Amino acid sequence: MGAERLTELFGQNPSGLLSVFYTAGFPQLDDTVQIGRQLGAAGADLIEIGIPFSDPIADGPVIQDSNKVALSNGMTVPKLLDQVRELRNTVSIPVILMGYLNPVLQYGFDRFCKDASDAGVDGLILPDLPLDEYESQYRETVDRYKLALIFLVSPTTAEERIRRIDGLTTGFIYAVAANSTTGARQAFSEEQVQYFQRLKNMKLKHPFLIGFGISDHPSFTTACQYGAGAIVGSAFIGMLKNSGDKLQGIEEFVKSLKPA
Amino acid sequence: MKFSVDNRGYYGDFGGAYVPEMLHPNVEELRTRYLEILNDEGFREEFYGLLHDYVGRPTPLFFASRLSDHYKTRIYLKREDLCHTGAHKINNTIGQILLARRLGKMKIIAETGAGQHGVATATVCALMGMECTVYMGQLDMERQRPNVERMRILGATVVPALSGNMTLKDATNEALRHWINRPTDTHYIIGSVVGPHPYPDMVARFQSVISEEIQKQLMQKEGNPYPDTVIACVGGGSNAAGAFYHFLEDEHVQLIGVEAAGKGVDSGHSAATTVLGKPGVIHGSKTLLMQTADGQVVEPYSISAGLDYPGIGPLHAHLFQTGRVSFQHATDDEAMEAGLELSRMEGIIPAIESAHALATLKKNQFDPDDVVVVSLSGRGDKDLETYIGWKPKNDE
Ligand SMILES: Cc1ncc(COP(=O)(O)O)c(C=O)c1O
């Protein structure tokens, strides 16, 4: 149960993992389950589902817009948990919920962890949860419900702090590729590649997945040379928004990044 | 010091630095350096020098005799409206731009609601020859046109925030996003006692010059540095924090913070955070926040753009929770009436934000020899259109 799926996936020194992020309740309220299922079937290795929030300060225009649409579709935390429960009936890869802290706090942190765990969630990413508060107030609860909590590092995170994060994270480290909000962008710069290399050379206890700005096969492949895999968000959400046949779009999207 | 920030960045249950990892180095740099910089002798000299020669401080503490007769008590107005650029906001922007220079940051970003903080930021950027970008909600750009033009004349780039309700909250989101994207060369001058630690404490310290002067001026005029009551409006809470600062530990001084009730606290169109809010996290701090049961931030409403914010600074959340400050409310109509009353009675047209503070004079009982200080946080020039368009209820 819970973090075990992640431990299993990351336990055997994996490479080339594709994690796909999408916003719950977008484009339609009930799409969450279908999208997750199709991702699993098409060969994604992890699913990250975004909890929509009114004020997503770390997100660029594409994910901001998906949050807004999801909320106007009537998405809520209880509905999201129901959808994950349903998704779990047919999907066996790890499912991670990613969201800003406020909706989780309003639901009740303890209750949220319990219900998420019961629904079959494996881990959480809460980008605005500080490390100190996690250690002193929340860690015990996360552990009690056997959830993983995945922390971020960025190009400006100091080495000492990366070590601390390596000590606190469970499953993997989310390596943010650039100092930026989320969004698809051009090819990686020399500086970014040096940062990936620096992370790799640190021989951290946990593997890292690279996210933010991964949009196509070349950027995915580059990320996989350094990390255990990569996370794609905005590019996938952009595809969902524009594609006529969602299911086929998802299959093609996954195959284009990660040819079998 | 019951009301000072603790070493974790909290005021009681409120505060902290809830920022994504991408902002951590910036906030951490500020946290580790701000006190050393603020306490540095050279910094203080430069800060107080500019407040004196450029801002025009000390601002007068004016005994409003006709208003006093009317309310049968002794009312002083702390004339922040006479600061250069027309509001208290510049006390903070002078402080922060000097700090930014010491941190080696040459680019400045800011958010603004009424445009007063944006103008104050654009002004100090012009003064220091620094590049300035101001985020402002599209709706606020429309209702505070003159300030948009002032910022542009001063050389700032004004970027419309098009997300959400297109007001102050959304402008703040955009400024934070900008900072995430350009963390190394840019300093974010937040305009109120909000945001991640150390901003609330830093901004309160810069604004504390207001109560520092009130004490000295009351000593001269009344032979006693302590008033009976201090009243200030609360948007994020910076003019209130500044006006309360040196009185916080003196519990015999009654402190009143006035929030915007909009069309009425229960009308669904209000910005009365202490009544309508619950603890939550916004813009990097844990504080009282207007939100739905599902934790989505509610769009506030007030006729005054500067009070149109769904939270309050964590210091104020703590002052509310401990009961140290009495939080009261004024509706749009009450504020407009109070603004017009001051105009007619004392020849001072106040900012509509400040008029909210004045509106509570009639709702409180004061003794004839009580000394009541009202923070007149800004002047009404920017609000002329609203004043012109406003019809008193009994005229209809
Ligand atoms: C004149 C004036 N007063 C008050 C405020 C509210 O801000 P604060 O609560 O931080 O003083 C503003 C904000 O723009 C303002 O322009």
Side-chain angles (χ1 to χ4, degrees):
Chain A
M1 200 188 87
E4 283 159 30
R5 271 187 218 98
L6 281 169
T7 322
E8 208 172 296
L9 180 65
F10 286 100
Q12 41 222 358
N13 198 16
S15 62
L17 298 181
L18 172 64
S19 179
V20 179
F21 171 91
Y22 64 100
T23 304
F26 175 87
Q28 306 294 326
L29 182 61
D30 294 324
D31 285 342
T32 316
V33 179
Q34 205 186 25
I35 292 171
R37 250 183 224 147
Q38 183 71 351
L39 279 171
D45 300 291
L46 287 97
I47 296 173
E48 288 175 31
I49 304 179
I51 308 167
F53 184 47
S54 52
D55 297 81
I57 56 166
D59 287 299
V62 173
I63 296 181
Q64 280 175 47
D65 180 63
S66 69
N67 277 257
K68 198 171 165 182
V69 171
L71 290 174
S72 63
N73 286 343
M75 196 64 218
T76 61
V77 173
K79 276 189 192 137
L80 170 54
L81 293 171
D82 285 344
Q83 292 175 343
V84 174
R85 202 170 291 116
E86 197 185 330
L87 180 64
R88 244 315 153 230
N89 291 333
T90 48
V91 168
S92 58
I93 58 178
V95 173
I96 293 163
L97 297 185
M98 178 162 185
Y100 294 85
L101 191 55
N102 197 54
V104 173
L105 291 182
Q106 295 319 307
Y107 191 86
F109 195 86
D110 193 292
R111 178 172 159 233
F112 180 82
C113 289
K114 177 176 189 300
D115 292 355
S117 181
D118 287 349
V121 168
D122 303 286
L124 308 174
I125 305 176
L126 303 169
D128 55 352
L129 173 63
L131 302 185
D132 287 348
E133 276 76 355
Y134 173 64
E135 278 195 286
S136 61
Q137 295 170 49
Y138 299 112
R139 184 180 190 166
E140 194 220 333
T141 310
V142 171
D143 289 347
R144 179 151 29 94
Y145 295 109
K146 299 198 164 45
L147 290 168
L149 207 126
I150 294 115
F151 283 98
L152 274 53
V153 302
S154 89
T156 47
T157 307
E159 173 157 348
E160 199 182 326
R161 187 171 164 87
I162 296 177
R163 299 269 176 217
R164 180 173 174 210
I165 288 169
D166 192 28
L168 283 176
T169 201
T170 20
F172 65 98
I173 291 174
Y174 190 137
V176 174
N179 265 297
S180 73
T181 44
T182 54
R185 61 191 61 235
Q186 304 303 310
F188 291 126
S189 68
E190 183 68 22
E191 257 181 323
Q192 284 177 292
V193 170
Q194 280 167 12
Y195 151 66
F196 301 153
Q197 184 66 52
R198 184 161 59 88
L199 281 179
K200 189 173 178 178
N201 292 347
M202 282 181 76
K203 307 232 179 305
L204 299 165
K205 282 185 282 181
H206 294 90
F208 61 94
L209 296 184
I210 297 174
F212 282 38
I214 315 276
S215 58
D216 51 16
H217 184 62
S219 48
F220 180 74
T221 314
T222 308
C224 291
Q225 284 168 17
Y226 301 92
I231 303 161
V232 184
S234 297
F236 181 73
I237 289 171
M239 183 280 296
L240 287 178
K241 192 175 169 182
N242 298 322
S243 113
D245 182 342
K246 244 180 313 200
L247 293 184
Q248 195 187 335
I250 294 169
E251 169 144 13
E252 284 167 9
F253 187 90
V254 171
K255 298 258 148 79
S256 75
L257 282 171
K258 197 189 162 190
Chain B
M1 302 295 275
K2 280 196 320 210
F3 303 107
S4 308
V5 78
D6 68 20
N7 56 12
R8 297 154 43 248
Y10 281 81
Y11 301 91
D13 295 338
F14 303 106
Y18 293 78
V19 294
E21 186 59 28
M22 295 78 86
L23 281 182
H24 180 268
N26 294 28
V27 170
E28 184 63 8
E29 179 182 34
L30 278 178
R31 188 185 71 81
T32 51
R33 303 224 26 220
Y34 84 111
L35 286 179
E36 156 219 329
I37 292 175
L38 266 60
N39 291 328
D40 174 70
E41 202 46 52
F43 180 90
R44 292 173 61 84
E45 235 168 70
E46 210 177 342
F47 177 60
Y48 282 103
L50 282 171
L51 288 185
H52 185 271
D53 296 340
Y54 188 70
V55 175
R57 303 203 73 92
T59 58
L61 185 70
F62 173 67
F63 180 69
S65 59
R66 293 190 65 208
L67 201 64
S68 295
D69 284 350
H70 185 71
Y71 288 108
K72 303 193 170 41
T73 189
R74 301 172 56 73
I75 300 170
Y76 284 92
L77 304 175
K78 181 56 176 166
R79 298 290 308 275
E80 294 302 298
D81 61 315
L82 293 178
C83 287
H84 178 41
T85 70
H88 69 292
K89 296 282 179 185
I90 197 165
N91 304 326
N92 169 43
T93 61
I94 293 268
Q96 285 204 49
I97 201 142
L98 294 177
L99 175 114
R101 293 220 306 190
R102 278 164 175 74
L103 295 175
K105 312 257 173 168
M106 287 312 287
K107 294 182 181 171
I108 297 295
I109 54 170
E111 85 297 338
T112 196
Q116 286 305 116
H117 174 60
V119 167
T121 305
T123 298
V124 297
C125 286
L127 178 69
M128 300 287 167
M130 286 161 77
E131 189 182 312
C132 180
T133 305
V134 179
Y135 288 90
M136 186 170 190
Q138 173 97 20
L139 177 69
D140 289 341
M141 287 179 73
E142 282 158 24
R143 59 180 169 171
Q144 310 276 206
R145 269 251 74 89
N147 273 343
V148 176
E149 296 311 328
R150 285 167 82 196
M151 286 185 269
R152 289 187 174 142
I153 290 170
L154 291 161
T157 305
V158 183
V159 183
L162 300 168
S163 51
N165 248 25
M166 302 186 270
T167 64
L168 181 53
K169 160 179 96 77
D170 313 295
T172 309
N173 290 339
E174 291 303 332
L176 285 167
R177 289 181 187 123
H178 179 123
W179 209 24
I180 288 175
N181 283 285
R182 294 168 198 75
T184 44
D185 61 351
T186 301
H187 175 70
Y188 176 19
I189 301 192
I190 288 187
S192 192
V193 286
V194 301
H197 177 67
Y199 277 107
D201 184 48
M202 185 168 75
V203 177
R205 284 169 188 258
F206 289 141
Q207 292 292 0
S208 70
V209 66
I210 300 173
S211 50
E212 189 183 315
E213 288 175 6
I214 293 173
Q215 284 192 322
K216 283 190 199 136
Q217 290 164 324
L218 280 181
M219 191 63 206
Q220 273 172 6
K221 290 172 196 283
E222 297 281 335
N224 173 0
Y226 296 105
D228 296 287
T229 301
V230 181
I231 307 176
C233 67
V234 176
S238 68
N239 88 91
F244 296 165
Y245 198 88
H246 291 285
F247 304 115
L248 285 172
E249 310 287 332
D250 296 292
E251 307 235 355
H252 57 278
V253 179
Q254 180 190 26
L255 304 174
I256 299 176
V258 187
E259 294 182 305
K263 297 184 172 156
V265 169
D266 300 316
S267 67
H269 303 277
S270 176
T273 305
T274 57
V275 183
L276 302 169
K278 284 177 297 177
V281 172
I282 186 168
H283 298 147
S285 66
K286 185 180 268 186
T287 188
L288 290 173
L289 173 62
M290 290 169 56
Q291 54 187 313
T292 66
D294 205 45
Q296 307 300 336
V297 181
V298 166
E299 296 290 349
Y301 163 82
S302 166
I303 194 169
S304 88
L307 303 182
D308 203 349
Y309 186 71
I312 48 173
L315 165 64
H316 291 289
H318 181 56
L319 294 171
F320 171 72
Q321 198 180 51
T322 54
R324 174 65 187 97
V325 170
S326 154
F327 280 82
Q328 304 185 9
H329 313 94
T331 63
D332 289 355
D333 288 343
E334 290 165 343
M336 293 304 293
E337 276 162 29
L340 288 173
E341 179 180 84
L342 188 75
S343 306
R344 306 268 158 89
M345 241 181 236
E346 299 288 351
I348 300 169
I349 305 174
I352 299 173
E353 289 80 7
S354 322
H356 284 73
L358 295 163
T360 56
L361 284 170
K362 63 170 62 144
K363 299 185 184 178
N364 289 275
Q365 288 294 323
F366 302 110
D367 286 341
D369 51 4
D370 275 358
V371 170
V372 178
V373 175
V374 181
S375 172
L376 203 69
S377 55
R379 67 177 88 125
D381 303 22
K382 69 183 176 62
D383 298 315
L384 279 189
E385 271 182 51
T386 313
Y387 275 119
I388 293 164
W390 190 76
K391 301 253 181 312
K393 267 204 187 128
N394 40 6
D395 274 19
E396 278 168 19

